[in-house]
Amino acid sequence: QVQLVESGGGSVQAGGSLRLSCEASGYTYRIICMGWFRQAPGKEREGVAGISAVIGTTYYADSVKGRFTISQDNAKNMVYLQMNSLKLEDTAIYYCAADASGRWCDANLDPRKFGFWGQGTQVTVSS
């Protein structure tokens, strides 16, 4: 029903920046919230940032607040994650996700609330 494709991952030195992009297709009119999640080796998947597709309210994990910015261009069905001041601990596979069943974004960024997922893109931060 909803397809998501991420792009923009790669390798960067600590302190550098990357911008991830996510293109949504299918029944995008049903999406009420878009989110970015990540999973590092040996760790559980965690929410990074979320944005209401309706009113644009944003949510961030404490670990990335002030460094990452989520944004969207609904006319293009695109969501972005601008990552600045990258740290070694930001290394992970980053996933774009969509909630098409709720009424509002989950401020806690619980991955169980998001029913559609992209394939993931690797972000590697080196010293």
Side-chain angles (χ1 to χ4, degrees), residues 39-41 87-94 122-126:
Q39 188 162 21
K87 304 175 180 179
L88 293 178
E89 51 264 43
D90 293 320
T91 295
I93 300 176
Y94 283 71
Q122 177 71 47
V123 172
T124 302
V125 183
S126 62

Side-chain angles (χ1 to χ4, degrees), residues 7-9 18-22 36 79-81 83 94 121 123:
S7 62
L18 282 175
R19 189 184 76 159
L20 305 183
S21 299
C22 174
W36 286 97
V79 180
Y80 308 95
L81 184 68
M83 304 185 293
Y94 283 71
T121 185
V123 172

Side-chain angles (χ1 to χ4, degrees), residues 30-37 47-61 70-72 74 79 97-115:
R30 296 183 178 181
I31 298 173
I32 58 94
C33 186
M34 296 293 299
W36 286 97
F37 297 78
V48 175
I51 185 167
S52 168
V54 181
I55 61 176
T57 305
T58 57
Y59 308 88
Y60 296 96
I70 186 171
S71 61
Q72 65 188 349
N74 287 338
V79 180
D99 178 0
S101 63
R103 293 182 296 174
W104 300 279
C105 284
D106 176 22
N108 296 318
L109 298 175
D110 184 348
R112 295 173 296 180
K113 300 293 183 65
F114 292 77

